[in-house]
Amino acid sequence: MKSIFDNTKFGRFNLKSRIIRSGLWESENESQKNLTPEIFERYEKLAENNVGIIVTELISMYSHDRFSDYSHYINYPYFIKEFRKVTDITHEFDTPIFAQIGFINCNVNGKQMMEVNDLEIEDIRKIQTDYVVAAKKVAFAGFDGIQLNVGNNYYLSRVMNPFENQRDDQYGGNTFNRVRMVIEIIQLIKQTTDLHIHCKVNLYQDIDDSLEICKILSENGADSLQITKFLSPQYFRKGQSNENMLVDFADNVSKEVLIPVVLGGGWSDMDTIQELINTTDIEYLSMYRPFVKSQSFLTEWRKNKHGSSKCKTCNNCYWKKSSVCIIDSED
């Protein structure tokens, strides 16, 4: 029988559990975007408490993006120096750490708020170059992998969306063409770094097309996938009829690809997760909000052989200036 706390192989990494800590953003930065002691302490607690892989909070590609005020920024002058401290901390506990990279608004080459269909080839090349530069900084900072956030409502998710991408060139039309821009980014990163490439990808309205996107990514350089959905924190709340909406899709993806697949979506109960990994082909699950509530709950689960997060999925840690839980522990 599979357990959450099995020792498993995720690409080249040996994991202590099947739980992947996902991230949104952190804003506990000092005035010049320096990481605060609270952030270093947070990552230390995560690393020492049985998480399989840590995925950082969003690291924004561009300084004037929608979430840039709430997040770290890849071109912050001390990015490599400060995040090297973070990766050194997690590696002390043999916990792999991936850097989450993404952007919402496309403002490149002096153009503002460009839609997918308005991108010229020079704009695509600029974005791809920026991703390579970001990946090199991530590698220099000691990260084990990079999460390309091409899901949720991030810009590259819209490039792959068949309802938004109406281009008639090599970057539009059939599924492969819509994924081409991301494939080229993956291939460029692999040519210049040895980072594990973890793609966070949507279940779109067209399920068959979504499955094809996952297969194309897996066959063209992605080392692992995380399945999510547009505006996922609002969708995945306790007691909602759609709280398990990704299970069937992630199960199908797991059957179709040869790389690790991570299921996202509001999981917070050990018994439910145990049943899921033993009744489907899903091997890994991601969690975010329970880790905001407590960085050590997995250790408690392991000790007690059962447990449920005290997170109420109220989303008060979402769309706020600080990604912290405001609900008292005793509630």
Side-chain angles (χ1 to χ4, degrees):
M1 182 175 179
K2 296 177 185 176
S3 167
I4 291 176
F5 299 106
D6 288 336
N7 294 322
T8 63
K9 196 80 170 177
F10 190 101
R12 66 177 185 267
F13 306 111
N14 297 311
L15 305 194
K16 293 173 286 190
S17 79
R18 299 179 185 272
I19 303 301
I20 312 302
R21 185 271 193 174
S22 192
L24 283 178
W25 54 68
E26 279 173 323
S27 59
E28 292 88 347
N29 301 312
E30 295 172 342
S31 60
Q32 299 302 315
K33 288 284 189 179
N34 300 80
L35 303 189
T36 63
E38 289 79 10
I39 290 178
F40 294 120
E41 181 180 2
R42 182 179 305 170
Y43 280 101
E44 181 173 5
K45 287 182 178 179
L46 288 168
E48 69 182 355
N49 278 289
N50 291 289
V51 67
I53 295 172
I54 297 172
V55 180
T56 68
E57 309 288 350
L58 172 67
I59 297 169
S60 184
M61 283 277 289
Y62 300 114
S63 60
H64 300 297
D65 198 25
R66 183 180 303 175
F67 295 142
S68 61
D69 288 341
Y70 300 136
S71 65
H72 310 302
Y73 172 42
I74 194 67
N75 286 329
Y76 162 59
Y78 300 105
F79 173 85
I80 294 173
K81 178 182 178 181
E82 295 210 345
F83 273 95
R84 171 64 74 168
K85 296 179 183 178
V86 171
T87 60
D88 284 348
I89 288 170
T90 67
H91 291 155
E92 286 180 11
F93 299 95
D94 297 322
T95 302
I97 182 168
F98 297 171
Q100 178 191 175
I101 304 292
F103 69 103
I104 299 287
N105 303 321
C106 188
N107 307 313
V108 299
N109 289 331
K111 306 170 187 176
Q112 301 297 312
M113 304 296 288
M114 278 187 290
E115 299 298 331
V116 171
N117 300 322
D118 296 331
L119 288 174
E120 298 181 7
I121 295 300
E122 66 177 4
D123 303 320
I124 292 173
R125 297 293 177 258
K126 170 62 175 169
I127 293 168
Q128 291 173 329
T129 300
D130 290 343
Y131 266 97
V132 172
V133 172
K136 288 182 177 180
K137 291 184 177 182
V138 164
F140 288 144
F143 285 97
D144 303 290
I146 184 169
Q147 183 187 75
L148 301 181
N149 196 331
V150 295
N152 304 130
N153 193 36
Y154 286 84
Y155 192 82
L156 294 183
S157 76
R158 290 148 54 195
V159 172
M160 297 192 297
N161 188 337
F163 297 98
E164 184 155 353
N165 185 336
Q166 299 297 313
R167 300 175 66 92
D168 57 6
D169 63 0
Q170 69 268 38
Y171 293 100
N174 63 44
T175 308
F176 188 90
N177 281 355
R178 285 184 277 107
V179 184
R180 186 188 300 273
M181 183 175 172
V182 176
I183 291 173
E184 291 174 347
I185 290 171
I186 291 171
Q187 293 172 344
L188 288 168
I189 292 174
K190 282 187 169 291
Q191 290 171 15
T192 54
T193 76
D194 64 353
L195 293 169
H196 178 108
I197 299 181
H198 182 54
C199 291
K200 191 174 187 181
V201 61
N202 280 346
L203 166 59
Y204 294 99
Q205 185 175 345
D206 187 328
I207 296 176
D208 291 337
D209 188 76
S210 301
L211 180 58
E212 186 64 19
I213 288 172
C214 292
K215 291 167 66 176
I216 290 170
L217 289 171
S218 73
E219 293 165 358
N220 288 275
D223 296 304
S224 58
L225 302 173
Q226 178 173 328
I227 308 302
T228 187
K229 189 169 176 61
F230 175 76
L231 296 179
S232 58
Q234 289 99 316
Y235 279 102
F236 304 123
R237 303 185 67 168
K238 291 179 181 178
Q240 299 296 311
S241 60
N242 59 4
E243 63 180 343
N244 296 330
M245 66 190 309
L246 295 185
V247 173
D248 289 343
F249 180 70
D251 191 23
N252 287 336
V253 174
S254 298
K255 290 177 169 66
E256 293 287 339
V257 304
L258 300 177
I259 59 176
V261 175
V262 180
L263 169 65
W267 306 100
S268 61
D269 176 80
M270 183 175 177
D271 291 340
T272 301
I273 296 173
Q274 288 283 132
E275 180 180 2
L276 186 64
I277 62 177
N278 281 286
T279 56
T280 70
D281 283 352
I282 297 167
E283 299 276 351
Y284 302 95
L285 294 93
S286 71
M287 305 168 78
Y288 172 71
R289 290 167 293 181
F291 286 111
V292 179
K293 183 67 179 173
S294 169
Q295 287 93 50
S296 62
F297 73 91
L298 286 179
T299 296
E300 297 169 11
W301 285 13
R302 186 165 195 164
K303 177 182 177 181
N304 298 328
K305 309 298 183 185
H306 64 84
S308 181
S309 171
K310 294 179 181 179
C311 171
K312 299 181 182 296
T313 64
C314 64
N315 283 339
N316 279 312
C317 60
Y318 180 71
W319 271 110
K320 299 296 188 295
K321 191 173 183 180
S322 297
S323 53
V324 296
C325 185
I326 65 172
I327 298 175
D328 291 337
S329 298
E330 62 268 23
D331 289 350

